[in-house]
């Protein structure tokens, strides 16, 4: 037995010895680990919620489709707005990979609920001529009523975007409901749901191209063209669109991919994340101070235990390891509880929001790592103090 | 029993009950200890003696005479200011802190007046922890602990926690812990200081029994009556040894010191 003497405790013995103080004073251990738990929970929840909401947004974008491209008016070299040629939609639809082409044309007309509203009270709404399959190509549908059709596109009939309907105070469709566009009454036949991929449609009052030409003397040029194509060939189509839409001035055409902008926005971290992460860090710090405090008291109270252990043959290193391990164990327990709480909060919120539950590795591993690191730092000084105590000093009973 | 007392002028002629060849186990030479401070305290003023394997020695003296200091020197818990302490031949002064810890872990067992048991652990766990730092695995520690508890008559109390035990029983657990792993020497500092006279007598009877079984034990006490019944007695006064007495007839049965666990357990009632 003597020959087999080893000065190192087995890991299982270190764990057992480290847990002695915690097992004996459960309440105190729980309370001092609480701060760490709260800090870690806050951090894990913030990162988890942000990742889950991002996953939710990306799923939503996927659902809307990433194969929509928009072609809109650009500017000429001299800085004027360059009109899109009337035949642009037709040209674009001849591209192989293109599956649908729709367009709108801004008429510049103003719209009012009734004639008594002063003209200066412009409501920021635009009146646009539209082709007849617009809703499907911008991934929206009708909230109420119906869209324009062959019969109504040449008549004074309008469909409202979601925002336009709200601003005009119209939430239902009934016979005879009308709005005033450039002194001409238009009958409202439908209201659209919000179009996440084309928010400009939300602000619009949509009428047919023939009606726009007839009642508003609109020239019939499209101002925005919505192009759907095979998802795998979106980039190829993207490259060809400008030249196809306006062969004479490809540089005067703006082509964009709305889903890309949405993805970028989804990826952007909310400024609130930083704030909550900061609060979590503060809670962790306070938790660390709590652990340090507990360890200092523990060392003072357990003087005779330290003396006894030295008499039983513990080296300074053994004593130091014991108290350091106790601090690390305490804060990692806090960390584990914190990770579970944070993950639970994420899971509940994501489930309510119908998002995928995502707890990034960085969040839980980072939270746990931070807890362990804080425990080590908090326990270091008390552990060194315990190890420095002379055996006789520790054994002395006052 | 005093008719058999003889004064041993020459230190180190301790006779074991088993007539083993006397092997010097612990040798103190001119040990002095000064506690520094504003008014330095001279706790030991030159102490010499040798303890041989198999001895049972009482160290007696009034409070403040330096007994605990002496025990700390013998147990390598502290180093002498001057003089040398040799344990199984090696000079403590030349050993590192780490080596001393190893020595304590494997060769020395301690018993204290305050027991120093963990209230939250069973008697078995407490005794097993006596070998925690000696490199023995947990299962072996527990197996040896069970044996040690059996030796002190507490086999039936293994799963009890200290608060469920009487004072005498607690001290017996502490003695079992000191014995666990068969150290070369057991050092007990006032083991009966917190016990009533019945329990104290039981503890002394136990020490005598362990001695008969071969253990080397040094017990500090200020109870001269109990000390007088042990084979050798060292009297300390004011940091000096004033008498070192070896008594014969240690093998005789002392009716008051037969091991009677019942006497100890009665105390609980
Ligand atoms: N750590 C210490 N610092 C200063 N003085 C001490 C210390 N330990 C013991 N003493 C003093 O040394 C003397 C001997 O003490 P001690 O060995 O405890 O005696 P005993 O155990 O015989 O009662 C006493 O005067 C005591 O006050
Ligand atoms: Mg003392």
């Amino acid at each position: 037995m003597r020959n087999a003497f080893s000065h190192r405790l087995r890991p299982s013995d270190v764990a057992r010895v480290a847990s002695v103080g915690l097992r004996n004073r459960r309440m105190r251990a729980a309370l001092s680990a609480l701060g760490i738990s709260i800090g870690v929970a806050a951090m894990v929840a913030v990162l988890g919620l942000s990742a889950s909401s991002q996953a939710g947004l990306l799923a939503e974008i996927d659902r809307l489709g990433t194969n929509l491209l928009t072609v809109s008016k650009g500017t000429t070299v001299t800085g004027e707005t360059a009109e899109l040629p009337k035949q642009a939609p037709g040209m674009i639809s001849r591209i192989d990979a293109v599956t649908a082409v729709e367009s709108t044309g801004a008429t510049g007309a103003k719209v009012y609920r009734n004639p008594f509203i002063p003209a200066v009270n412009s409501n920021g709404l635009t009146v646009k001529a539209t082709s007849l399959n617009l809703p499907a190509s911008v991934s929206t549908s009708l909230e109420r009523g119906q869209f324009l059709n062959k019969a109504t596109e040449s008549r004074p009939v309008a469909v409202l975007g979601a925002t336009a309907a709200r601003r005009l105070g119209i939430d239902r469709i009934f016979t005879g409901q009308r709005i005033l566009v450039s002194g001409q009454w238009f009958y409202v036949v439908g209201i659209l749901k919000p179009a996440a991929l084309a928010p400009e449609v939300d602000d619009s009052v949509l009428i047919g191209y023939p009606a726009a030409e007839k009642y508003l003397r609109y020239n019939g040029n499209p101002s925005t063209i919505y192009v759907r194509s095979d998802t795998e060939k979106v980039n190829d189509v993207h490259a060809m669109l400008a030249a196809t839409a306006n062969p004479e001035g490809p540089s005067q055409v703006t082509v964009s991919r709305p889903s890309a902008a949405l993805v970028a926005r989804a990826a952007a971290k909310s400024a609130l994340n930083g704030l909550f992460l900061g609060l979590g860090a503060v809670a962790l710090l306070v938790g660390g101070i709590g652990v340090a405090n507990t360890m200092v008291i523990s060392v003072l109270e357990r003087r005779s235990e330290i003396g006894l252990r030295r008499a039983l043959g513990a080296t300074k290193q053994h004593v130091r390891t014991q108290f350091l391990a106790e601090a690390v164990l305490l804060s990692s327990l806090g960390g584990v509880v914190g990770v579970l709480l944070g993950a639970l909060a994420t899971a509940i919120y994501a489930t309510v929001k119908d998002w995928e539950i995502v707890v990034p590795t960085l969040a839980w591993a980072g939270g746990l790592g931070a807890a362990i690191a804080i425990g080590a730092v908090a326990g270091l000084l008390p552990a060194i103090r315990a190890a420095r105590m002379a055996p006789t000093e520790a054994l002395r009973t006052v | 029993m005093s008719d058999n007392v003889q004064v041993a002028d020459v230190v180190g002629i301790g006779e074991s009950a088993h007539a083993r060849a006397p092997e010097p186990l612990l040798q103190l030479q001119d040990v002095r200890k000064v506690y520094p401070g504003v008014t330095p305290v001279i706790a030991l003023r030159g102490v010499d003696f040798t303890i041989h394997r198999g001895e049972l020695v009482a160290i007696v003296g009034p409070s403040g005479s330096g007994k605990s200091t002496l025990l700390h020197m013998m147990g390598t818990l502290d180093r002498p200011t001057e003089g040398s302490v040799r344990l199984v031949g090696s000079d403590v002064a030349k050993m590192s802190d780490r080596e001393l810890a190893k020595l304590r872990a494997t060769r020395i067992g301690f018993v204290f007046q305050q027991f120093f048991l963990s209230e939250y652990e069973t008697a078995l766990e407490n005794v097993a922890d006596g070998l925690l730092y000696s490199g023995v695995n947990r299962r072996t520690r527990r197996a040896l602990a069970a044996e040690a508890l059996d030796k002190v008559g507490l086999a039936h109390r293994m799963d009890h926690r200290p608060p469920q035990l009487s004072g005498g029983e607690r001290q017996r657990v502490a003695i079992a812990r000191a014995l666990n792993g068969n150290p070369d020497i057991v050092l007990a500092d006032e083991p009966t200081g917190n016990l009533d006279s019945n329990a104290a007598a039981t503890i002394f009877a136990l020490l005598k029994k362990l001695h008969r079984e071969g253990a080397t034990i040094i017990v500090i006490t200020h109870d001269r009556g109990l000390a007088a019944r042990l084979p050798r007695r060292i009297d300390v006064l004011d940091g000096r040894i004033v008498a070192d007495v070896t008594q014969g007839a240690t093998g005789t049965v002392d009716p008051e010191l037969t091991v009677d666990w019942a006497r100890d357990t009665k105390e609980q009632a």
Side-chain angles (χ1 to χ4, degrees):
Chain A
M1 183 189 316
R2 251 165 227 161
N3 297 336
F5 183 88
S6 113
H7 246 86
R8 311 204 56 186
L9 284 190
R10 290 168 176 76
S12 61
D13 284 331
V14 171
R16 208 171 60 83
V17 165
S19 69
V20 165
L22 309 184
R23 276 184 285 137
N24 295 350
R25 305 222 187 283
R26 281 158 209 245
M27 191 63 172
R28 184 198 290 176
L31 287 176
S32 59
L34 190 64
I36 302 266
S37 296
I38 292 172
V40 170
M43 293 181 124
V44 169
V46 168
L47 295 175
L49 286 176
S50 136
S52 298
S53 82
Q54 193 176 327
L57 273 173
L58 292 175
E60 172 70 9
I61 292 164
D62 258 6
R63 201 183 55 73
L64 294 172
T66 52
N67 61 346
L68 177 69
L69 296 167
T70 60
V71 178
S72 47
K73 297 192 282 189
T75 44
T76 61
V77 202
T78 53
E80 294 157 47
T81 352
E83 294 288 332
L84 288 170
K86 240 181 208 170
Q87 64 273 28
M91 307 278 281
I92 291 169
S93 60
R94 254 170 255 141
I95 300 176
D96 246 0
V98 168
T99 54
V101 180
E102 296 295 321
S103 71
T104 60
T107 63
K110 292 216 155 42
V111 59
Y112 299 98
R113 179 92 196 256
N114 57 54
F116 311 111
I117 294 171
V120 286
N121 278 9
S122 133
N123 38 30
L125 302 178
T126 55
V127 178
K128 286 178 180 156
T130 180
S131 56
L132 298 180
N133 279 319
L134 183 72
S137 53
V138 298
S139 294
T140 187
S141 57
L142 280 133
E143 175 77 45
R144 283 171 200 285
Q146 55 196 28
F147 201 66
L148 302 166
N149 56 35
K150 280 274 172 225
T152 53
E153 71 172 336
S154 51
R155 317 221 43 213
V157 162
V159 170
L160 306 179
T163 312
R166 194 155 34 76
R167 296 243 182 95
L168 291 168
I170 293 170
D171 56 1
R172 272 173 304 151
I173 302 297
F174 53 87
T175 338
Q177 165 136 285
R178 49 188 199 169
I179 50 175
L180 202 54
V181 178
S182 290
Q184 166 73 41
W185 289 109
F186 276 72
Y187 291 90
V188 177
V189 297
I191 299 174
L192 287 175
K193 288 183 182 158
L197 285 176
E200 68 276 6
V201 169
D202 295 345
D203 300 333
S204 304
V205 171
L206 301 166
I207 59 178
Y209 272 101
E213 284 165 32
K214 186 157 147 201
Y215 298 102
L216 308 176
R217 276 183 286 284
Y218 178 54
N219 63 14
N221 281 34
S223 53
T224 307
I225 305 171
Y226 300 91
V227 182
R228 287 278 187 181
S229 55
D230 295 340
T231 305
E232 313 85 72
K233 295 194 181 136
V234 170
N235 290 330
D236 302 342
V237 173
H238 195 300
M240 296 162 68
L241 272 181
T244 313
N246 191 351
E248 267 112 71
S251 62
Q252 297 164 15
V253 175
T254 309
V255 180
S256 59
R257 189 174 179 184
S259 59
L262 289 182
V263 169
R265 207 181 320 149
K269 303 264 181 296
S270 151
L272 276 181
N273 277 5
L275 178 69
F276 283 118
L277 279 181
L279 284 176
V282 170
L284 258 186
L285 191 69
V286 172
I289 294 169
V291 169
N293 188 35
T294 303
M295 291 314 296
V296 167
I297 293 173
S298 183
V299 169
L300 288 179
E301 276 180 351
R302 289 155 69 190
R303 219 172 45 121
S304 54
E305 180 195 321
I306 295 167
L308 174 77
R309 287 185 187 278
R310 294 304 302 276
L312 293 180
T315 59
K316 289 179 181 178
Q317 179 68 51
H318 285 139
V319 173
R320 193 160 44 232
T321 306
Q322 174 179 344
F323 284 92
L324 197 59
E326 182 171 319
V328 169
L329 185 66
L330 182 59
S331 57
S332 1
L333 286 178
V336 167
V337 171
V339 167
L340 292 178
L341 287 179
L344 187 69
T346 304
I348 291 174
Y349 196 74
T351 307
V352 167
K353 285 277 192 175
D354 211 11
W355 294 333
E356 186 193 344
I357 301 164
V358 184
V359 179
T361 312
L362 174 76
W364 64 262
L368 218 54
I372 290 171
I374 280 190
V377 170
L380 193 61
L381 229 61
I384 288 175
R385 235 162 118 184
R388 281 222 188 113
M389 221 182 270
T392 50
E393 169 82 6
L395 283 169
R396 207 172 57 198
T397 42
V398 191
Chain B
M1 59 178 288
S2 52
D3 40 348
N4 281 326
V5 172
Q6 43 173 277
V7 177
D9 289 321
V10 187
V11 176
I13 316 187
E15 271 185 10
S16 124
H18 301 272
R20 258 180 251 99
E23 175 203 343
L25 199 58
L26 182 65
Q27 293 160 287
L28 273 72
Q29 250 170 29
D30 195 29
V31 168
R32 291 162 195 273
K33 179 67 184 179
V34 180
Y35 290 109
V38 191
T39 49
V41 179
I42 307 173
L44 296 177
R45 298 164 190 270
V47 172
D48 293 87
F49 61 77
T50 299
I51 309 283
H52 293 85
R53 195 175 287 282
E55 276 197 283
L56 171 55
V57 183
I59 293 180
V60 199
S63 183
S65 55
K67 306 185 297 294
S68 292
T69 304
L70 189 55
L71 180 119
H72 292 158
M73 300 299 140
M74 295 187 287
T76 75
L77 289 168
D78 204 353
R79 295 167 194 268
T81 313
E82 266 180 64
S84 80
V85 175
R86 301 174 84 80
L87 196 68
V88 278
S90 20
D91 191 347
V92 166
K94 295 201 180 82
M95 298 168 90
S96 69
D97 214 62
R98 197 168 257 272
E99 289 169 316
L100 291 184
K102 176 175 172 175
L103 204 65
R104 293 195 292 268
T106 54
R107 294 181 176 273
I108 308 173
F110 288 92
V111 178
F112 299 99
Q113 182 175 349
Q114 305 85 351
F115 320 139
F116 291 141
L117 299 173
S118 164
E119 285 179 44
Y120 303 94
E121 295 191 347
T122 62
L124 187 74
E125 287 293 346
N126 269 289
V127 175
D129 272 353
L131 285 178
L132 181 61
Y133 301 100
S134 64
V136 180
N137 70 35
R138 182 146 184 251
R139 193 191 307 169
T140 313
R141 293 202 299 266
R142 287 171 63 96
L144 292 172
E147 277 175 37
L149 274 171
D150 190 39
K151 264 193 210 168
V152 302
L154 286 179
H156 61 300
R157 295 292 212 179
M158 269 195 289
D159 298 324
H160 289 64
R161 287 165 211 281
Q164 300 167 295
L165 301 174
S166 72
E169 285 172 326
R170 282 183 223 185
Q171 193 58 294
R172 274 151 61 193
V173 172
I175 289 170
R177 179 177 62 196
L179 285 173
N180 197 2
N182 260 323
D184 289 306
I185 192 162
V186 172
L187 303 173
D189 192 353
E190 309 251 17
T192 59
N194 279 357
L195 303 178
D196 64 32
S197 55
N198 273 340
T202 310
I203 294 297
F204 268 78
L206 171 60
L207 294 178
K208 286 193 84 168
K209 168 185 166 284
L210 296 170
H211 165 241
R212 278 197 303 277
E213 287 165 8
T216 309
I217 303 170
I218 299 180
V219 53
I220 288 177
T221 180
H222 54 236
D223 187 328
R224 299 198 150 266
L226 287 171
R229 296 193 175 114
L230 301 191
R232 181 176 169 195
R233 199 185 77 228
I234 296 175
D235 284 8
V236 181
L237 186 66
D238 211 10
R240 282 194 187 86
I241 292 187
V242 292
D244 189 338
V245 185
T246 302
Q247 306 161 85
T250 50
T252 55
V253 176
D254 179 343
E256 278 194 53
L257 283 185
T258 46
V259 180
D260 173 12
W261 305 133
R263 180 168 50 186
D264 188 32
T265 36
K266 261 178 229 151
E267 169 202 13
Q268 295 175 89

